[in-house]
Amino acid sequence: KPRIQDQVKEHFKFKLEHVDKHSKARAGVITTPHGDIPTPVFMPVGTHGAIKALQPQVLEDMDTKIILSNTYHLHLTPGSDLVKKAGGLHKFMNWPRPILTDSGGFQVFSLQKKSIKEEGAEFKDQKGQKILLSPETSITIQQNLGSDIMMAFDECIPYPATREYTKNSMDRTHRWLDRCIETWNNPKQALFGIIQGSTYNDLRKECVDELVKRDLPGYAIGGVSVGEGAEWMEKIVSFTAPLMPVDKPRYAMGIGNPEDLIMLWENGIDMSDCIIPTKFARGGTLFTSRGKIRIRHRNYRRDFYPIDHSCSCYTCKNFSRAYIKHLFDSNEILGQVLATTHNIAYYKSLAEGARKAILEDRFLDFKKEFFANYKKDDS
Ligand code: GUN
């Protein structure tokens, strides 16, 4: 019987279409059982099996290609057995397109109270009941959910971390990866490995080498955006990304601001996710080609222009800044709906603009134009 790593190749593919002539930026297509994903791609986050404030139909109308969801949260509520009974997460949430699930490796480790052992990570749920998340349980849960891309169960360590802690944690994460691969038995679901190693280049390199030996369908940079700051983040990404296989998708986890995305793409990253566009939207912070605006600011009281004149989303085509400010001031949930719609559209069009530029060998011009327009704070 062929290895699962070879079986999955029938259902999950990555085609590298083009590398920009003047940078490392790449354009490609990921093929999954629920559809194709042109890259670079940004993945909106639907932690509990819902993109907060948005109907799946709205996401489909915007042509969102893939969303992310979370093992940890869906395990606690409603439980992955129930989701499996409902026919899997795609059916349960009525989202017919690709889904990536994170392993819980990040969510558990951001808890205050947990204990990490060789077996896995132990913590208490809302009712105080002990729960063990391990490589085996994480993969079993992700297989019950039926995501197109599953993430390996890892330890995401905070910044700063000592070299000794980082090395020991990373070695354990590799042993966990082998247990993930042992548990993985559905060739219609791809398993991605996660590169750790904190700020230590030699450990990052060692980690990539270990992961590549396992011949996985894709690889992710983890352990970034954990408090290290933009400079370290760029150092880690620019060192690690070129070490990753050219013929597999490269994913940077939990990043980031529009500026960060430009940096990721310039370094040859294909996929990323972040709660920023959705979370900021619900708080009234909206992205525009000229920078962020805080829509509740009094300046927008009589501003009858759209959020972003260069945006063609439903919100920008139909509503003014003054109206959206009014919705936020009145605590109308439609404000959050319209804001989320816009921010998701903004991130999508940024990624699409980058992809087009890469295919035409003008990514650096794209970057230049972005920074010429985008002010750090425009409100
Ligand atoms: N999300 C953001 N960073 C990480 C990471 O290092 N590991 C996992 N599993 N998820 C993440």
Side-chain angles (χ1 to χ4, degrees):
K1 196 179 163 199
R3 295 181 315 159
I4 185 84
Q5 288 98 321
D6 291 318
Q7 292 178 50
V8 73
K9 288 173 186 165
E10 280 218 15
H11 307 281
F12 185 92
K13 298 181 171 76
F14 176 65
K15 183 171 174 275
L16 178 62
E17 281 179 292
H18 191 73
V19 181
D20 178 63
K21 269 213 177 71
H22 314 287
S23 72
K24 298 194 183 78
R26 322 172 347 137
V29 180
I30 300 168
T31 299
T32 81
H34 290 91
D36 288 357
I37 308 155
T39 62
V41 67
F42 175 81
M43 304 183 283
V45 177
T47 296
H48 298 267
I51 306 292
K52 292 188 202 316
L54 291 191
Q55 295 182 165
Q57 187 62 54
V58 174
L59 289 161
E60 271 190 77
D61 291 347
M62 286 200 279
D63 206 21
T64 300
K65 301 291 188 184
I66 176 170
I67 61 163
L68 178 147
S69 201
N70 285 104
T71 297
Y72 169 79
H73 299 85
L74 292 172
H75 177 54
L76 294 181
T77 330
S80 72
D81 289 337
L82 186 127
V83 176
K84 186 179 180 182
K85 212 168 239 159
L89 185 58
H90 293 87
K91 204 155 170 234
F92 189 47
M93 67 179 290
N94 192 33
W95 173 253
R97 294 185 172 186
I99 300 175
L100 179 148
T101 44
D102 196 1
S103 57
F106 181 73
Q107 282 72 32
V108 171
F109 295 107
S110 47
L111 295 175
Q112 288 280 316
K113 277 188 165 177
K114 76 250 170 187
S115 108
I116 305 155
K117 305 175 189 156
E118 189 62 28
E119 176 61 15
E122 212 171 59
F123 58 97
K124 287 186 177 162
D125 71 4
Q126 309 100 316
K127 293 180 198 145
Q129 284 210 341
K130 261 192 194 170
I131 296 190
L132 178 81
L133 210 52
S134 66
E136 291 80 10
T137 57
S138 174
I139 297 301
T140 301
I141 294 164
Q142 293 184 75
Q143 292 189 142
N144 284 341
L145 298 174
S147 52
D148 298 271
I149 301 173
M150 306 186 286
M151 298 308 298
F153 186 71
D154 61 331
E155 180 183 7
C156 174
I157 58 177
Y159 170 88
T162 64
R163 197 193 148 77
E164 193 192 0
Y165 188 92
T166 306
K167 168 72 174 151
N168 289 335
S169 161
M170 189 182 96
D171 288 345
R172 180 173 51 210
T173 289
H174 295 151
R175 294 191 295 277
W176 283 356
L177 176 59
D178 288 326
R179 288 164 55 191
C180 286
I181 295 170
E182 269 307 296
T183 312
W184 175 25
N185 59 27
N186 186 348
K188 293 193 171 175
Q189 295 181 266
L191 176 67
F192 279 25
I194 304 175
I195 304 158
Q196 295 292 340
S198 188
T199 49
Y200 306 99
N201 280 351
D202 58 328
L203 296 183
R204 288 274 175 188
K205 167 86 172 81
E206 187 185 327
C207 194
V208 174
D209 292 342
E210 281 301 315
L211 296 190
V212 169
K213 278 186 208 161
R214 271 79 169 180
D215 187 26
L216 295 167
Y219 302 94
I221 301 179
V224 278
S225 212
V226 290
E228 75 281 13
E231 240 173 81
W232 263 118
M233 189 203 287
E234 180 161 4
K235 268 196 219 169
I236 295 169
V237 170
S238 63
F239 176 81
T240 309
L243 305 175
M244 298 166 77
V246 291
D247 59 344
K248 303 279 174 77
R250 298 166 172 175
Y251 168 26
M253 307 189 78
I255 304 175
N257 287 302
E259 303 97 304
D260 300 328
L261 295 191
I262 303 282
M263 180 277 288
L264 294 180
W265 299 332
E266 186 172 6
N267 284 291
I269 295 292
D270 309 304
M271 314 162 67
S272 58
D273 76 281
C274 195
I275 58 172
I276 283 179
T278 42
K279 194 177 179 86
F280 280 27
R282 297 194 306 281
T285 296
L286 295 168
F287 291 95
T288 83
S289 49
R290 304 185 55 174
K292 290 189 292 255
I293 63 170
R294 284 189 294 273
I295 197 63
R296 270 172 310 200
H297 195 282
R298 59 188 141 73
N299 284 357
Y300 302 120
R301 189 171 145 72
R302 290 156 192 276
D303 185 338
F304 299 109
Y305 287 105
I307 298 296
D308 188 343
H309 61 89
S310 62
C311 177
S312 58
C313 80
Y314 171 74
T315 303
C316 289
K317 273 194 308 210
N318 296 288
F319 304 93
S320 65
R321 293 172 166 194
Y323 179 63
I324 297 165
K325 170 181 165 44
H326 156 70
L327 293 177
F328 271 90
D329 288 346
S330 322
N331 258 321
E332 283 290 345
I333 55 179
L334 182 58
Q336 300 190 317
V337 173
L338 296 178
T340 304
T341 302
H342 169 76
N343 277 0
I344 293 294
Y346 174 87
Y347 268 62
K348 177 169 174 60
S349 96
L350 191 63
E352 280 176 352
R355 177 178 158 81
K356 192 157 179 288
I358 294 164
L359 290 170
E360 294 166 2
D361 291 315
R362 49 174 186 82
F363 180 78
L364 292 181
D365 292 333
F366 174 82
K367 175 187 171 185
K368 211 165 157 186
E369 196 183 319
F370 170 83
F371 282 107
N373 293 318
Y374 195 89
K375 299 287 172 296
K376 264 212 133 64
D377 218 327
D378 191 39
S379 53

